[in-house]
């Protein structure tokens, strides 16, 4: 009997999507406004006939050119980079002023109703393009030159021209101030889209790099595992032909120095195999592909077997192993993962507590099973108690103790996947005691996972 559980990985790009949608809808809104403007330019064509008193092609051509330039701008805005948008819109504002001026000229010059309203042009531009203050300024400058020339041409006295130009300057300055303030306030509300784009692109690139690294690690570990497994089988076959103690070393025809070399090769091959297993676990855990095989397990028997397996290593490290077992405890959990958890903790106890006894305990109640591994080695400073459960974090002297800093991270992830928790009690120089508390039944496991916000599965 068994069931499988998968732990999916969560990544979030919803914020980026929302911002992207926001920018697209802002662009669409601007397009709509510009198209309405183009339509209005053409709709007011009959007013030219009314003003002049007869039909004339010239104002109509100017209006067609004007509406056409608005359409071209709409198309151009779809292609340009974000930083080019204000330039294109300012160019449209200047061109619009020139064409409006041409229309006023063709429909009666300074006596045309269009000239009468010409000072309102920067205001209209600012309403259509509220976040491009430069457009209103461009419009104002063209307006100043055009109005001055037209009034001079019409024989207006210098004082009248100066008064008109002063009004144009005041209107343009006011419009610019309002538009610039509006733009500043908007920018304060939302960070510049460019900065957001760059930040999002960086996040996406680093996510892709991490995913590529994890995939590479998974493939590399998998490919390395196959030849190494066969190598280990051969090494173990050779080891079986050798005597297990030094007293009988002379009884076989392999010289003792060669026997030592074979033992060293076997040790390194097993270490390599352990590292590759860690790499596989890391890629499974980070990729959310860890699966649990839940089944009824005699936990006390399993721990006894693991401790028995460690007997030769414990003898080599001069660590007498003591096993404290309560009554037999059965639980529904993943035996392989539990084995891995205990193996990591006992291996660490042997490494960091060599030369001193190690006590392993299993006790439990109706709900949970509590597993303890206690050594009397170098211990861990309280400042490092949290950090050592993180990936690649180590607290011991690198030169004295080799390691990748992955064992406790993997152990912690496995314990959490099983719905439990791990804790450490230790002071430097006084040894370390690691305690793992696991739920004994899947119902408790599922409830705990829910309350811990972890995914649940069948
Ligand atoms: P590694 O042992 O490969 O460095 P681990 O993730 O297993 O990686 O352990 C992380 C760190 O926690 C170790 O580098 C060590 O500093 C500390 N540590 C773990 N177990 C013990 C222990 N039993 N006694 C003292 N320190 C320990």
């Amino acid at each position: 009997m068994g069931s499988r559980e998968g732990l999916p990985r969560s990544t979030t790009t919803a914020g980026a999507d929302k911002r992207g949608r926001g920018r697209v809808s802002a662009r669409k809104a601007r397009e709509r406004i510009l198209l309405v403007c183009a339509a209005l330019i053409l709709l007011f064509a009959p007013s030219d006939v009314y003003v002049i008193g007869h039909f004339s092609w010239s104002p109509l051509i100017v209006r067609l050119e004007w509406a056409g330039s608005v359409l071209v701008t709409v198309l151009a805005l779809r292609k340009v980079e974000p930083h080019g948008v204000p330039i294109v819109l300012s160019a449209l504002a200047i061109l619009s002023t020139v064409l409006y001026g041409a229309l006023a000229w063709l429909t009666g010059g300074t006596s045309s109703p269009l000239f009468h309203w010409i000072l309102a042009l920067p205001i209209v531009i600012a309403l259509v393009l509220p976040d491009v203050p430069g457009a209103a300024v461009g419009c104002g400058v063209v307006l100043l030159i055009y109005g001055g020339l037209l009034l001079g041409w019409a024989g207006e006295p210098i004082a009248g021209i100066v008064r008109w130009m002063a009004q144009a300057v005041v209107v343009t300055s006011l419009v610019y101030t309002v538009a610039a303030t509006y733009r500043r306030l908007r920018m304060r509300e939302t960070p510049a889209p460019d900065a957001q784009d760059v930040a999002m692109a960086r996040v996406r690139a680093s996510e892709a790099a991490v995913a590529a690294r994890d995939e590479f690690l998974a493939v590399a570990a998998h490919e390395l595992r196959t030849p190494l497994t066969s190598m280990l089988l051969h090494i173990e076959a050779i080891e079986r032909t050798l005597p297990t103690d030094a007293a009988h070393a002379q009884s076989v025809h392999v010289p003792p120095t060669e026997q030592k070399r074979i033992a060293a090769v076997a040790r390194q091959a097993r270490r390599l195999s352990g590292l590759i297993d860690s790499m596989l676990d890391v890629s499974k855990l980070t990729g959310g592909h860890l699966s649990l095989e839940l089944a009824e397990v005699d936990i006390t028997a399993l721990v006894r077997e693991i401790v028995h397996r460690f007997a030769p290593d414990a003898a080599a490290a001069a660590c007498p192993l003591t096993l404290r077992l309560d009554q037999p405890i059965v639980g529904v959990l993943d035996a392989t993962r539990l084995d891995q958890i205990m193996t990591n903790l006992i291996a660490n106890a042997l490494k960091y507590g060599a030369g001193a006894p190690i006590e392993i305990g299993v006790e439990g109640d109706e709900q949970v099973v509590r597993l303890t591994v206690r050594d009397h080695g170098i211990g861990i400073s309280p400042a490092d108690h949290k950090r050592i459960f993180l990936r690649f974090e180590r607290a011991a002297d690198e030169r004295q103790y080799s390691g990748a800093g992955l064992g406790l991270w993997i152990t912690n992830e496995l314990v959490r996947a099983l719905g439990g928790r791990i804790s450490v009690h230790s002071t430097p120089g006084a040894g370390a005691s690691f305690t793992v508390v696991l739920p004994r039944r899947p119902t408790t496991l599922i409830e705990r996972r829910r309350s811990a916000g972890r995914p649940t599965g069948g």
Side-chain angles (χ1 to χ4, degrees):
M1 104 174 195
S3 62
R4 298 183 73 85
E5 298 201 2
L7 305 181
R9 181 169 53 168
S10 71
T11 50
T12 174
T13 51
D17 291 351
K18 217 188 233 174
R19 279 194 293 280
R21 277 202 298 276
R23 270 202 298 281
V24 170
S25 62
R27 200 195 71 200
K28 285 242 159 83
R30 173 175 283 154
E31 276 186 8
R32 269 199 296 273
I33 292 171
L34 288 175
L35 290 176
V36 168
C37 289
L40 284 175
I41 289 165
L42 295 178
L43 271 176
F44 275 89
S47 70
D48 299 337
V49 180
Y50 175 76
V51 170
I52 308 171
H54 59 86
F55 174 78
S56 166
W57 277 107
S58 316
L60 186 62
I61 289 169
V62 171
R63 280 183 185 274
L64 286 170
E65 274 179 13
W66 194 0
S69 66
V70 175
L71 289 178
V72 169
T73 305
V74 167
L75 296 177
L77 285 175
R78 291 182 183 178
K79 301 265 183 257
V80 294
E81 296 285 320
H83 62 265
V85 171
I87 299 168
V88 174
L89 290 174
S90 298
L92 176 68
I94 292 169
L95 185 66
S96 295
T97 315
V98 170
L99 293 173
Y100 183 96
L103 266 182
W105 170 259
L106 291 169
T107 54
T110 50
S111 59
S112 162
L114 287 176
F115 188 81
H116 187 70
W117 287 104
I118 205 164
L119 282 178
L121 205 54
I123 301 172
V124 175
I125 296 278
L127 284 174
V128 174
L129 310 170
D131 50 354
V132 192
V137 173
C139 165
V141 170
V142 175
L143 198 67
L144 215 60
I145 299 166
Y146 170 79
L149 286 175
L150 208 65
L151 286 167
W153 181 266
E156 185 76 20
I158 294 289
I161 297 174
V162 170
R163 210 169 34 245
W164 186 91
M165 288 176 97
Q167 284 174 16
V169 169
V170 170
V171 169
T172 308
S173 309
L174 271 176
V175 169
Y176 174 77
T177 310
V178 172
T181 310
Y182 172 80
R183 187 182 150 80
R184 232 190 347 266
L185 288 175
R186 269 198 56 181
M187 279 176 74
R188 218 177 279 168
E189 274 169 20
T190 48
D194 282 3
Q196 284 178 3
D197 284 348
V198 170
M200 280 317 298
R202 282 203 187 129
V203 169
R204 270 197 290 273
S206 74
E207 275 177 1
V210 168
R213 183 204 63 190
D214 287 345
E215 199 181 328
F216 171 75
L217 275 181
V219 172
H222 194 264
E223 292 303 311
L224 284 170
R225 218 181 181 299
T226 318
L228 192 67
T229 308
S230 124
M231 202 169 102
L232 265 174
L233 284 174
H234 287 298
I235 291 171
E236 276 161 11
I238 295 169
E239 271 187 319
R240 275 196 295 276
T241 64
L242 299 178
T244 47
D245 54 71
H248 297 92
Q250 306 294 341
S251 62
V252 288
H253 55 270
V254 182
T257 47
E258 296 305 312
Q259 291 179 30
K260 275 195 190 139
R261 283 196 184 123
I262 291 169
V265 169
R267 249 193 336 272
Q268 295 306 329
R270 277 192 205 101
R271 201 166 149 228
L272 197 56
S273 165
L275 272 174
I276 289 170
D277 285 347
S278 293
M279 272 164 71
L280 272 172
D281 283 335
V282 170
S283 76
K284 273 186 199 159
L285 287 165
T286 51
H289 306 308
L290 180 78
S291 58
L292 295 178
E293 298 282 346
L294 296 179
E296 201 159 271
V297 180
D298 182 342
I299 300 170
T300 38
L302 177 68
V303 174
R304 195 180 291 118
E305 185 193 313
I306 297 166
V307 171
H308 182 71
R309 204 168 61 219
F310 267 103
D313 296 310
C319 290
L321 288 182
T322 318
L323 184 56
R324 247 186 321 102
L325 293 176
D326 227 358
Q327 77 281 10
I329 299 173
V330 174
V332 178
L333 33 79
D334 186 320
T336 313
R337 299 302 174 188
L338 180 56
D339 189 325
Q340 214 175 339
I341 291 166
M342 291 307 282
T343 299
N344 282 348
L345 294 179
I346 298 172
N348 273 355
L350 289 172
K351 181 158 67 169
Y352 300 107
I358 292 170
E359 292 106 41
I360 295 144
V362 183
E363 55 181 14
D365 55 31
E366 278 297 298
Q367 302 292 318
V368 296
V369 57
R370 194 170 289 106
L371 303 129
T372 322
V373 178
R374 178 176 166 70
D375 65 62
H376 300 271
I378 60 169
I380 306 156
S381 153
D384 296 322
H385 283 189
K386 273 201 181 138
R387 187 170 70 82
I388 52 171
F389 292 102
L390 301 177
R391 220 177 343 170
F392 303 120
E393 288 290 344
R394 310 198 66 221
D397 182 358
E398 304 269 344
R399 285 158 304 177
Q400 212 177 335
Y401 300 96
S402 64
L406 286 172
L408 282 184
W409 180 77
I410 293 170
T411 305
N412 184 33
E413 290 295 313
L414 295 178
V415 169
R416 284 172 51 156
L418 287 169
R421 59 181 190 278
I422 183 169
S423 56
V424 60
H425 294 278
S426 174
T427 42
S433 174
F434 285 85
T435 306
V436 172
V437 181
L438 295 174
R440 280 178 58 181
R441 278 179 297 278
T443 46
T444 340
L445 170 82
I446 289 161
E447 276 161 19
R448 273 161 189 260
R449 270 192 171 188
R450 268 194 200 127
S451 66
R454 304 281 300 175
T456 60

